[in-house]
């Protein structure tokens, strides 16, 4: 097997590229889980929705408005998609999830599973399951960068960079600012925080909106790399669940690092034994459950 | 429950193929058993497995392979499929019970995904096509399961139907006995208050694992039956959609009721067969039912009925 350092490094870089998606998505799940105590099954579908906002904004919005030459450009999509999906999230939280707060947490999982089926079903009905290509990638991000050991697409460098900024930015806000301290306090003891005059229900709603907004942001980033398809989210979410089980949802930094690390491990597996690369994360999950059942950064649910 | 109700249901099951399209009726029985097996975990032990398709579909593949390629008789094929699902359940269960609550659901979902990958990649599974044209064969080497009996001008596959019905009764009986035994009482205690059950000296992990193995083996039996009826084991059988469907059936009928999962399975399967013209919209409808059910109808049909009649059904 020709396993030069160069092959390994380039696969690990490509793996890191997947890893940032795992990181953003599991980060969103962790933030939502922290405050709402639910596993947001619809996260994958909203990631897919984000990608479709970019795709449709670029292809369809212009003709729809009667101006065929209008395209919602990539940078605008990066802003619009999280807002649209975040607003949808606020709606979901206010009309549905809120009613389930006093029941078993499993109901939250089931409800969001149903929502995921609805969203995915609607898109499967209108779009090709094998996917559509997104043509809105900005000129400035096309081409390659010479990393010394390999030529790496400029766009992927951008994705890795901006994702790390978003992830660590979120970590900073939650762990190091006053706003974040409210959130963390709300996670620990919502009743007490309420007694201090903080509007906890609003905080919960906005947190959910923010969490799913992150998923939509990841969806836009993914649009130019992967083909945009109705099933892109459901394929992603199961892997992300495994990532979350490995890392544990108790820690923001934990979920970011686990996501990045597992992406790289997956990339490395492609070099060593390609057929296993699809399952390696699940196998790692098995090992973690055997060795450290609470997860790498875990505290129990 | 009242003995007359059981006798009426038994009679209904025996006479059903003369009134309803038999293949449809057999499909109902498969999914009713699948949901009842699932309910043993969710309803009576409080464990939400989101990967039960692995046992249902896994057994379908094993039974299909053994019957088709190694010439096993159908009853041995079903037995092998059931045992396989039980063994797989032991492996998955041992891992999954190491985590609680929501994590348990995610672990089972992720482990089921490994089974899905195997079903896609292993040499004997037929990849994307699945296993097709599985023969039904001779029951005990004697009774031809393909034989149709003509009743009033319509040929009916009675041999296959009564084989299916007998297996269903066996599986359902096992579940009923388990729920109404001291073992079942311990499961309910774990569901209501796990630390308390532990402090009373019950080995909670062992009980959970036994329940998991029993549930997965019976889910496997349902899958093995399905594989003989449709002569097909496919990726759909092991996919997370199927895992989700069985959750819905149980929820819709009534979590933690004896008859609920069967009622839920009847509803969902009937809907699916009546709504074939809506195509992909069926997923949307199923999702919508899920949402409504969780929001306003958490007890399910049978649960609500039981509340009206003030008894446990």
């Amino acid at each position: 097997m020709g396993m030069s350092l160069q092959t390994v490094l380039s696969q690990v870089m490509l793996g890191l590229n997947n890893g940032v998606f795992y990181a953003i998505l599991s980060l969103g799940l962790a933030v939502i889980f922290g405050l709402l105590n639910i596993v947001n099954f619809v996260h994958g579908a909203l990631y897919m929705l984000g990608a479709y906002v970019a795709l449709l904004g670029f292809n369809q919005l212009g003709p729809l408005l009667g101006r065929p030459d209008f395209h919602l450009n990539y940078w605008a999509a990066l802003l619009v998609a999280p807002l649209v999906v975040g607003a949808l999230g606020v709606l979901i939280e206010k009309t549905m999830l809120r009613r389930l707060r006093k029941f078993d947490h499993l109901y939250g999982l089931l409800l969001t599973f149903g929502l995921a089926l609805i969203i995915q079903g609607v898109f499967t009905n209108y779009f090709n399951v094998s996917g559509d290509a997104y043509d809105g990638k900005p000129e400035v991000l096309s081409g390659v960068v010479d990393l010394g050991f390999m030529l790496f697409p400029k766009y992927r460098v951008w994705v890795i960079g901006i994702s790390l900024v978003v992830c660590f930015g979120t970590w900073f806000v939650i762990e190091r600012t006053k706003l974040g301290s409210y959130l963390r306090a709300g996670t620990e003891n919502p009743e007490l925080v309420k007694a201090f005059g903080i509007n906890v229900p609003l905080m919960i709603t906005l947190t959910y909106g923010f969490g799913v907004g992150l998923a939509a942001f990841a969806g836009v980033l993914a649009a130019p790399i992967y083909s945009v398809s109705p099933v892109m989210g459901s394929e992603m979410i199961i892997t992300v669940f495994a990532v979350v089980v490995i890392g544990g949802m108790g820690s923001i930094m934990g979920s970011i690092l686990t996501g990045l690390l597992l992406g790289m491990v997956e990339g490395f597996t492609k070099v060593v034994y390609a057929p296993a690369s699809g399952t390696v994360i699940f196998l790692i999950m098995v090992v973690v459950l055997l060795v450290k059942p609470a997860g790498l950064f875990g505290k129990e649910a | 429950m009242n003995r007359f109700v059981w006798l009426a249901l038994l009679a209904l099951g025996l006479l059903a193929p003369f009134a309803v399209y038999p293949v449809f009726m057999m499909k109902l029985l498969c999914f009713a058993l699948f949901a009842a097996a699932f309910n043993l975990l969710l309803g009576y032990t409080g464990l939400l497995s989101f990967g039960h398709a692995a046992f249902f579909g896994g057994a379908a593949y094993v039974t299909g392979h053994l019957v088709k390629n190694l010439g096993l008789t159908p009853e041995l094929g079903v037995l092998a499929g059931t045992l396989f699902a039980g063994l797989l359940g032991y492996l998955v269960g041992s891992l999954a019970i190491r985590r609680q609550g929501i994590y348990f659901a995610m672990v089972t979902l992720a482990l089921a995904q490994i089974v899905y990958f195997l079903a896609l990649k292993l040499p004997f599974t037929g990849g994307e096509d699945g296993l097709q044209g599985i023969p039904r064969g001779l029951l005990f080497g004697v009774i031809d399961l393909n034989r149709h009996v003509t009743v009033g001008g319509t040929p009916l596959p009675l041999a296959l139907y009564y084989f299916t019905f007998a297996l269903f009764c066996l599986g359902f009986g096992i579940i009923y006995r388990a729920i109404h035994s001291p073992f079942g009482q311990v499961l309910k205690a774990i569901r209501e208050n796990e630390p308390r059950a532990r402090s009373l000296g019950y080995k909670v992990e062992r009980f959970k694992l036994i329940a998991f193995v029993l549930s997965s083996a019976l889910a496997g039996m349902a899958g093995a039956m399905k594989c003989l009826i449709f002569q097909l084991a496919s990726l759909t059988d092991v996919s997370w959609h199927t895992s989700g469907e069985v959750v819905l059936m149980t929820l819709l009928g009534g979590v933690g009721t004896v008859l609920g999962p069967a009622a839920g399975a009847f509803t969902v399967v009937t809907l699916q067969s009546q709504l074939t013209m809506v195509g992909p919209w069926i997923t949307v409808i199923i999702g919508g039912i899920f949402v409504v059910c969780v929001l306003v109808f958490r007890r399910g049909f049978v649960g609500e009925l039981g509340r009206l009649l003030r008894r446990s059904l």
Side-chain angles (χ1 to χ4, degrees):
Chain A
M1 195 184 329
M3 203 169 78
S4 67
L5 186 63
Q6 200 171 352
T7 346
V8 173
L9 277 177
S10 46
Q11 283 302 333
V12 169
M13 275 304 282
L14 288 172
L16 180 62
N17 196 211
N18 288 338
V20 293
F21 289 109
Y22 300 153
I24 299 188
L25 292 174
S26 62
L27 166 68
L29 284 180
V31 170
I32 291 172
F33 181 76
L35 212 53
L36 285 88
N37 252 316
I38 64 156
V39 174
N40 192 32
F41 210 121
V42 74
H43 218 66
L46 295 175
Y47 158 81
M48 177 266 283
L49 197 60
Y52 270 102
V53 170
L55 180 79
L56 298 177
F58 190 78
N59 294 338
Q60 308 283 336
L61 190 62
L64 205 69
L65 297 174
R67 289 177 48 198
D69 53 337
F70 174 80
H71 301 292
L72 181 75
N73 78 23
Y74 175 81
W75 307 108
L78 273 181
L79 194 67
V80 171
L83 288 177
V84 170
V85 173
L88 180 65
V90 166
L91 195 71
I92 291 173
E93 203 284 328
K94 270 188 167 305
T95 55
M96 296 181 224
L97 289 174
R98 173 158 299 184
R99 295 156 183 260
L100 295 178
R101 207 160 296 157
K102 54 184 183 294
F103 300 107
D104 196 311
H105 305 321
L106 293 177
Y107 286 114
L109 175 73
L110 296 177
L111 180 92
T112 50
F113 175 73
L115 291 173
L117 285 183
I118 294 178
I119 297 174
Q120 186 178 327
V122 168
F123 278 79
T124 309
N125 203 48
Y126 289 113
F127 298 95
N128 196 345
V129 178
S130 53
D132 296 291
Y134 174 72
D135 305 318
K137 187 164 83 178
E139 201 54 39
V140 56
L141 294 177
S142 41
V144 291
V145 186
D146 193 351
L147 294 179
F149 54 91
M150 71 179 296
L151 293 176
F152 203 65
K154 213 185 265 180
Y155 183 76
R156 289 179 184 246
V157 176
W158 149 255
V159 168
I160 293 173
I162 188 68
S163 302
L164 292 178
V165 169
V166 168
C167 284
F168 290 105
T170 307
W171 170 81
F172 182 83
V173 170
I174 292 177
E175 298 290 339
R176 292 285 182 271
T177 65
K178 183 132 189 180
L179 176 68
S181 71
Y182 291 155
L183 280 179
R184 280 178 288 132
T187 308
E188 291 293 325
N189 191 337
E191 289 308 313
L192 198 61
V193 178
K194 225 181 264 178
F196 283 124
I198 292 166
N199 189 343
V200 174
L202 179 70
M203 197 163 81
I204 291 178
T205 308
L206 293 179
T207 302
Y208 188 77
F210 174 75
V212 300
L214 277 181
F217 186 79
V220 180
L221 289 180
I225 306 180
Y226 310 115
S227 70
V228 180
S229 90
V231 293
M232 66 190 279
S234 60
E235 283 163 3
M236 184 64 112
I237 190 71
I238 298 179
T239 313
V240 173
F241 276 178
V243 171
V244 160
V245 172
I246 293 169
M249 285 191 287
S251 139
I252 300 289
M253 187 56 95
S255 57
I256 299 173
L257 293 181
T258 313
L260 296 177
L261 190 72
L262 287 172
M264 289 193 277
V265 170
E266 201 181 34
F268 182 68
T269 314
K270 274 211 181 89
V271 194
V272 184
Y273 183 62
S277 65
T279 43
V280 67
I281 291 185
F282 300 107
L283 297 177
I284 293 175
M285 184 190 81
V286 170
V287 175
V288 169
L289 283 172
L290 288 172
V291 180
K292 198 168 181 304
L296 297 180
F297 300 87
K299 59 181 186 195
E300 266 302 325
Chain B
M1 212 180 320
N2 201 314
R3 185 176 299 168
F4 288 110
V5 178
W6 287 119
L7 280 175
L9 285 174
L10 185 67
L12 214 60
L14 287 172
L15 296 175
F18 301 100
V20 190
Y21 181 52
V23 173
F24 174 70
M25 193 59 209
M26 288 188 277
K27 187 178 180 189
L28 288 182
L29 290 175
C30 284
F31 279 96
L33 179 59
F34 184 22
F38 173 80
N39 187 39
L40 185 61
L41 271 187
L42 179 61
Y44 292 95
T45 323
L47 297 174
L48 173 59
S49 159
F50 229 101
H52 248 48
F55 312 117
F56 181 80
Y61 272 103
V62 167
T63 303
H65 175 63
L66 292 177
V67 170
K68 185 181 177 185
N69 301 332
L70 299 179
L72 242 62
T73 52
E75 76 285 354
L76 290 179
V78 171
L79 183 66
T82 310
L83 291 178
F84 169 78
L87 186 67
L88 188 62
Y90 178 76
L91 295 175
V92 171
S94 311
L95 286 168
I97 59 171
R98 299 169 79 92
R99 300 292 284 270
Q100 268 93 37
I102 283 166
Y103 283 105
F104 182 90
M106 289 195 288
V107 170
T108 46
L109 177 65
L111 291 174
Q113 200 62 11
I114 299 182
V115 176
Y116 181 86
F117 276 115
L118 291 177
L120 186 63
K121 301 284 187 204
L122 283 181
F124 74 87
T125 56
E128 301 267 353
D129 300 330
L131 282 175
Q132 297 179 358
I134 297 162
R136 286 168 182 158
L138 302 174
L139 187 60
F140 305 115
V142 190
I143 307 163
D144 184 2
L145 286 182
N146 277 317
R147 214 182 72 194
H148 284 57
V149 180
T150 308
V151 180
T154 25
L156 298 174
L158 289 186
L160 185 63
Y161 179 80
Y162 288 118
F163 177 52
T164 308
F165 187 61
L167 284 178
F168 170 81
C169 290
L170 175 67
F172 201 80
I174 292 173
I175 293 168
Y176 186 84
R177 277 314 308 154
I179 292 169
H180 293 89
S181 66
F183 168 72
Q185 293 301 329
V186 179
L187 293 187
K188 281 177 231 172
I190 294 172
R191 175 190 70 188
E192 294 303 325
N193 193 335
E194 188 174 327
R196 181 112 194 253
R198 198 185 302 272
S199 75
L200 287 172
Y202 292 109
K203 291 197 168 62
V204 169
E205 271 72 28
R206 181 172 300 170
F207 278 94
K208 280 184 179 175
L209 187 58
I210 295 173
F212 200 97
V213 171
L214 193 57
S215 169
S216 49
L218 291 170
M221 189 157 102
M225 283 154 58
K226 189 242 135 198
C227 138
L228 289 179
I229 295 162
F230 291 95
Q231 306 184 284
L232 171 76
S234 71
L235 285 177
T236 313
D237 299 335
V238 279
S239 74
W240 61 269
H241 282 277
T242 304
S243 295
E245 247 163 45
V246 77
V247 180
L248 178 64
M249 289 169 182
T250 309
L251 190 66
L252 192 59
V255 175
T257 60
V258 176
L259 293 177
F266 279 39
T267 317
V268 172
V269 173
T270 309
L271 268 180
Q272 281 170 338
S273 69
Q274 294 298 312
L275 294 176
T276 43
M277 69 285 185
V278 299
W281 288 108
I282 187 71
T283 318
V284 180
I285 294 170
I286 296 273
I289 298 175
F290 236 112
V291 170
V292 172
C293 218
V294 171
L295 282 178
V296 297
F297 200 60
R298 280 176 293 274
R299 284 195 190 84
F301 297 137
V302 175
E304 292 290 350
L305 187 67
R307 200 165 63 110
L308 283 177
L309 301 175
R310 296 188 185 178
R311 57 193 301 177
S312 121
L313 294 174

